[in-house]
């Protein structure tokens, strides 16, 4: 469940401006009473109360996410915006959680979706709720920096293919000096240091014929990027040839940075056979570690991107790979596997008369209760609960004076979501043929629901 904070912000600031009221009056029939216009000027949510499940909680069909109480006209106006805020947020957070489950806990997940999202507002929301669902960061290079600023989401990333192809040769690099990481001295010609390391790599017997002549414009791009970001050097290595040029050029720059006390982040693969290429790149990193005595270089991070989705991640796991981090965009933020979530907003009670009610007094720990399937009469079982949790908490009390639940920070919502997922049984979470999670009602509520249905349903007449 996600989107609660946005719903509360909407309700807290709900007010129509004079310009909006004027437009409404222009579109309504001329017979509209002046009293209605006055009503619109004074309308707000001070008489509204909102009870909701904590954001980031795992939720199931037939379980109410929010309960909104207040004047029927005001509550009715909230229907569409509340559904809009909850449906997409919950869908994206769920989609992110599904990708996290397939990728595993140890992998870093980056949201790469801004360019393919449904408009800038959809992109901002997607970044926020992908983070809630378990992603680690959003992409910082020409992507969703705004989400990082607005929500405090970590930013990660690398340069683009265009950056690599914009260079012609190392001669274009004019400022070649680079201070050591501790500031103790300066390397006056970092470009030459990189070239010397490339020569050592090319002549390394342990690499055999793996490394030949590399693309010098690519090397210039990597060198320039390292000069600008020596602490965050992550190179996109597939602009020309991953194994013959990209990886060797990265290694040359990474080793030069290492001489000056910097640790490179790693490489990114954005095309080709990701399982094979990641494995071959890992072998080169491990050979270089052994050949030049660079402890830890064999574990240099490998990031993969290029239209990844749940199925791709699952296939990579089955093939075997050496990817440490995934950048996922289109299939994540557009929720390609399921275009929309079908939450609905239903009237359950008016003037203290129930139309249909799906909540009642909370059960007690150790108190034996009869649980029933909401619709199937034969499915029932006695349960003695070991733990009881009240799901709906008051997040907006209006003028009622009730205690208001504080909205947690985004990081806390993310942590809550991850803990919730960890508590789920694996058979409920598996991708193929998951075991349905049983949502039951008490015998009292079951009888009440069916009593309402029988009384409200029209009775036909046979002729």
């Amino acid at each position: 469940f996600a989107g609660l904070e946005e719903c509360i912000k909407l309700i807290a600031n709900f007010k129509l401006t004079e310009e909006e009221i004027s437009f409404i009056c222009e579109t309504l029939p001329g017979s509209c009473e002046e009293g209605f216009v006055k009503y619109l000027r004074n309308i707000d949510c001070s008489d509204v109360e909102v009870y909701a499940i904590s954001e980031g909680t795992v939720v199931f069909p037939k379980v109410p996410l929010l309960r909104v109480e207040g004047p029927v006209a005001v509550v009715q106006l909230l229907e569409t915006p509340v559904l809009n805020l909850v449906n997409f947020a919950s869908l994206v957070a769920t989609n992110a959680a599904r990708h996290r489950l397939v990728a595993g806990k140890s992998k870093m997940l980056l949201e790469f979706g801004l360019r393919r999202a449904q408009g800038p507002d959809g992109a901002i929301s997607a970044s926020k709720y992908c983070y809630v669902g378990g992603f680690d960061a959003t992409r910082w290079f020409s992507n969703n920096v705004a989400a990082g600023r607005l929500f405090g989401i970590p930013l990660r990333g690398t340069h683009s293919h265009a950056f690599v192809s914009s260079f012609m040769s190392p001669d274009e690099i004019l400022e070649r000096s680079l201070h050591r990481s501790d500031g103790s001295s300066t390397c006056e010609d970092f470009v030459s240091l990189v070239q010397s390391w490339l020569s050592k790599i090319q002549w390394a017997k342990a690499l055999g014929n793996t490394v030949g002549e590399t693309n010098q414009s690519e090397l210039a791009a990597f060198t320039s990027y390292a000069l600008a970001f020596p602490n965050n050097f992550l190179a996109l290595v597939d602009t020309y040839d991953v194994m013959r040029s990209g990886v060797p050029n990265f290694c040359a720059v990474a080793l030069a940075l290492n001489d000056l006390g910097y640790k490179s982040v790693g490489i990114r693969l954005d095309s080709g056979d990701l399982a094979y290429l990641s494995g071959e790149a890992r072998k080169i990193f491990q050979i270089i570690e052994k050949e030049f005595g660079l402890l830890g270089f064999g574990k240099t991070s490998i990031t993969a991107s290029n239209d990844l989705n749940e199925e791709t991640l699952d296939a990579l796991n089955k093939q075997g790979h050496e990817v440490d981090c995934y950048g996922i965009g289109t299939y994540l933020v557009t929720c390609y596997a399921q275009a929309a979530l079908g939450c609905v907003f239903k009237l359950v009670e008016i003037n203290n008369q129930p139309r249909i009610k799906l909540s009642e007094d909370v059960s007690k720990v150790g108190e034996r209760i009869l649980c029933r399937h909401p619709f199937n009469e034969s499915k029932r079982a006695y349960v003695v609960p070991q733990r009881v949790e009240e799901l709906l908490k008051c997040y907006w009390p209006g003028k009622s004076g009730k205690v208001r639940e504080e909205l947690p920070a985004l990081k806390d919502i993310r942590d809550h979501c991850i803990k919730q997922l960890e508590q789920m049984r694996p058979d409920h979470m598996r991708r193929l043929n998951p075991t349905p999670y049983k949502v039951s009602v008490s015998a009292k509520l079951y009888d009440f629901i069916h009593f309402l249905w029988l009384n409200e349903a029209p009775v036909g007449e046979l002729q």
Side-chain angles (χ1 to χ4, degrees), residues 91-384:
L91 184 66
V92 172
T94 301
N95 197 26
R98 290 175 63 92
H99 281 79
R100 166 56 73 192
L101 288 169
V102 178
K105 296 179 182 179
S106 64
K107 305 301 179 185
M108 178 171 280
L109 295 181
L110 310 179
E111 177 267 310
F112 273 24
L114 174 63
R115 301 175 189 184
R116 310 262 164 64
Q118 283 90 340
D121 49 352
I124 290 288
S125 295
S127 292
K128 179 179 182 179
Y129 295 111
C130 284
Y131 182 67
V132 167
F135 270 59
D136 297 289
T138 186
R139 185 182 179 190
W140 72 264
F141 181 81
S142 66
N143 210 50
N144 222 338
V145 180
R149 179 179 66 84
L150 291 170
F151 310 122
I153 300 172
L155 301 171
R156 298 287 186 276
T158 182
H159 56 75
S160 64
H161 288 106
F163 180 82
V164 175
S165 57
S166 67
F167 283 81
M168 298 297 291
S169 78
D171 295 335
E172 295 174 324
I173 302 175
L174 301 179
E175 179 52 60
R176 298 180 168 218
S177 64
L178 181 63
H179 297 294
R180 288 188 62 85
S181 63
D182 60 6
S184 60
S185 61
T186 300
C187 172
E188 297 298 340
D189 193 348
F190 183 71
V191 177
S192 295
L193 181 60
V194 170
Q195 291 284 6
S196 68
W197 269 112
L198 180 60
S199 296
K200 292 176 185 178
I201 293 170
Q202 290 169 330
W203 285 97
K205 292 182 180 179
L207 290 170
N209 297 322
T210 305
V211 181
E213 289 298 320
T214 65
N215 187 292
Q216 288 296 295
S217 61
E218 179 183 63
L219 182 64
F222 290 177
T223 304
S224 178
Y225 191 73
L227 282 164
F229 302 103
N231 288 305
N232 302 94
F233 179 55
L234 195 158
L236 182 55
V237 296
D238 69 340
T239 305
Y240 300 107
D241 187 294
V242 172
M243 300 312 302
R244 292 182 179 275
S245 182
V247 171
N249 280 339
F250 162 79
C251 291
V253 177
L255 294 173
L257 286 172
N258 182 76
D259 282 351
L260 302 180
Y262 298 100
K263 181 176 173 58
S264 299
V265 175
I267 64 170
R268 177 160 74 95
L269 303 168
D270 194 46
S271 61
D273 187 331
L274 299 177
Y276 170 76
L277 291 173
S278 65
E280 292 301 300
R282 179 70 67 210
K283 290 176 185 176
I284 290 180
F285 296 157
Q286 291 170 343
I287 290 171
I288 287 178
E289 175 179 341
K290 188 174 182 181
E291 182 76 6
F292 300 109
L294 297 172
L295 188 64
F297 194 83
K299 296 181 180 178
T300 296
S301 178
I302 299 174
T303 298
S305 51
N306 186 32
D307 280 343
L308 300 180
N309 55 32
E310 281 185 77
E311 287 69 29
T312 313
L313 300 187
D314 187 50
L316 283 170
N317 290 339
K318 290 174 181 176
Q319 293 172 55
H321 64 87
E322 289 293 333
V323 177
D324 303 293
C325 175
Y326 295 106
I328 307 175
T330 304
Y331 289 91
L332 176 68
V333 301
T334 65
C335 299
Y336 194 88
Q338 181 178 328
L341 192 64
C343 293
V344 294
F345 192 96
K346 293 293 183 183
L347 178 68
V348 297
E349 188 174 293
I350 188 164
N351 293 332
N352 297 318
Q353 293 298 312
R355 307 311 297 161
I356 187 163
K357 189 175 175 65
L358 293 175
S359 61
E360 60 169 7
D361 292 337
V362 178
S363 303
K364 298 177 182 178
V365 172
E367 183 181 83
R368 186 170 179 257
I369 57 172
L370 177 62
C371 291
R372 304 199 63 169
H373 188 285
F375 313 111
N376 192 322
E377 192 175 49
S378 64
K379 291 186 177 182
R380 52 188 180 171
Y382 281 105
V383 173
V384 179

Side-chain angles (χ1 to χ4, degrees), residues 411-422:
K411 177 68 166 58
D412 295 332
I413 295 172
R414 179 181 184 272
D415 292 343
H416 175 63
C417 178
I418 291 171
K419 288 178 182 176
Q420 283 275 298
L421 292 167
E422 288 174 346

